[in-house]
Amino acid sequence: MIIALDGPSAAGKGTLARRLAAHYRLALLDTGLIYRAVGARVLADRGEGGETDRAIEAARKLQPQDLEQPGLREEAVGAMASKVAAIPEVRLHLIDFQRRFAKTPPGHAAGSILDGRDIGTVICPDADVKIFLTASAEARAERRFQELQAAGATTIKARVLADMHERDVRDSARSAAPLVPAADAFQLDTTTLSADQVFDRVVAHIDGRISRRGS
Ligand code: CDP
């Protein structure tokens, strides 16, 4: 089973993806980490040639262990990830890595779940299940603000909302694999839902699909 889970920042994908992976025994790939790893390399190599060329080179050379490096969750890395993610050649170099994981998940898992922006539309258009999570910009900024505070970062909510808006616009307006729900995705607005409610609704949807497929 392949599950494609897409949506904007802080819509609740990460929490849901971890819970679904444990529930259905699936290998999980947070594809945002791939773009973050490329963004981190571009930031580290500052000053050596143009940003676009450095990003393409970093995407070409990406190794699985690059996703494990510390610091990938920092806001500056997320902002650079969203910039490099708009470069078509960067995305092209990263397609095989993601499809390989989806089709041959590590650790003898029963399948895979990939969380990102274009999994249901570009990376795994034949996924068995496609989910698209959304939430209002204010709700997402509030969640991200809480996460940042819990991690000890000093920031203000207005700044988090402004950064998120900038990233939403860039992710949705880019010509290469923009953030859009697949036509056959199960869409869920999580603005007023708890993590448990989101999990329960998505599991009901997936189990419904599995039983229809089995009958
Ligand atoms: O954690 P958060 O939702 O803020 O971001 P992320 O999922 O780690 O992704 C960081 C950036 O990578 C996003 O803003 C997107 O621009 C880009 N991305 C993408 O273009 N395609 C994906 N499949 C995953 C992430």
Side-chain angles (χ1 to χ4, degrees), residues 37-91:
V38 172
R41 176 107 311 266
V42 170
L43 288 172
D45 294 347
R46 231 185 307 237
E48 292 173 32
E51 218 166 80
T52 302
D53 290 343
R54 283 188 342 253
I56 295 169
E57 190 58 10
R60 202 173 62 75
K61 290 190 181 152
L62 186 91
Q63 298 292 321
Q65 61 268 27
D66 296 342
L67 310 189
E68 322 239 316
Q69 63 189 297
L72 292 185
R73 297 272 169 212
E74 285 168 18
E75 287 298 281
V77 176
M80 183 51 87
S82 143
K83 281 192 197 160
V84 301
I87 304 168
E89 291 96 318
V90 165
R91 304 196 74 87

Side-chain angles (χ1 to χ4, degrees), residues 36-201:
R36 285 173 179 268
V38 172
R41 176 107 311 266
V42 170
L43 288 172
D45 294 347
R46 231 185 307 237
E48 292 173 32
E51 218 166 80
T52 302
D53 290 343
R54 283 188 342 253
I56 295 169
E57 190 58 10
R60 202 173 62 75
K61 290 190 181 152
L62 186 91
Q63 298 292 321
Q65 61 268 27
D66 296 342
L67 310 189
E68 322 239 316
Q69 63 189 297
L72 292 185
R73 297 272 169 212
E74 285 168 18
E75 287 298 281
V77 176
M80 183 51 87
S82 143
K83 281 192 197 160
V84 301
I87 304 168
E89 291 96 318
V90 165
R91 304 196 74 87
L92 270 181
H93 282 304
L94 300 172
I95 288 180
D96 282 351
F97 182 90
Q98 296 172 81
R99 287 192 179 149
R100 223 175 302 130
F101 184 100
K103 299 235 164 76
T104 50
H108 306 293
S112 56
I113 174 162
L114 280 74
D115 115 43
R117 302 292 192 286
D118 63 340
I119 308 304
T121 49
V122 176
I123 304 298
C124 302
D126 298 328
D128 302 282
V129 178
K130 297 182 187 178
I131 300 150
F132 193 90
L133 290 191
T134 54
S136 72
E138 289 71 22
R140 293 186 290 114
E142 177 65 34
R143 289 176 194 163
R144 182 51 49 89
F145 178 66
Q146 299 292 347
E147 273 170 22
L148 288 169
Q149 276 203 321
T154 46
T155 182
I156 53 164
K157 216 178 285 181
R159 178 81 251 151
V160 176
L161 184 61
D163 287 350
M164 186 161 284
H165 179 69
E166 194 185 318
R167 206 128 72 82
D168 281 354
V169 168
R170 197 160 40 218
D171 289 352
S172 304
R174 70 188 179 208
S175 56
L179 173 68
V180 282
D184 51 352
F186 172 68
Q187 295 193 41
L188 189 60
D189 184 331
T190 71
T191 304
T192 60
L193 300 179
S194 68
D196 282 346
Q197 287 172 318
V198 173
F199 177 71
D200 290 346
R201 286 183 199 197

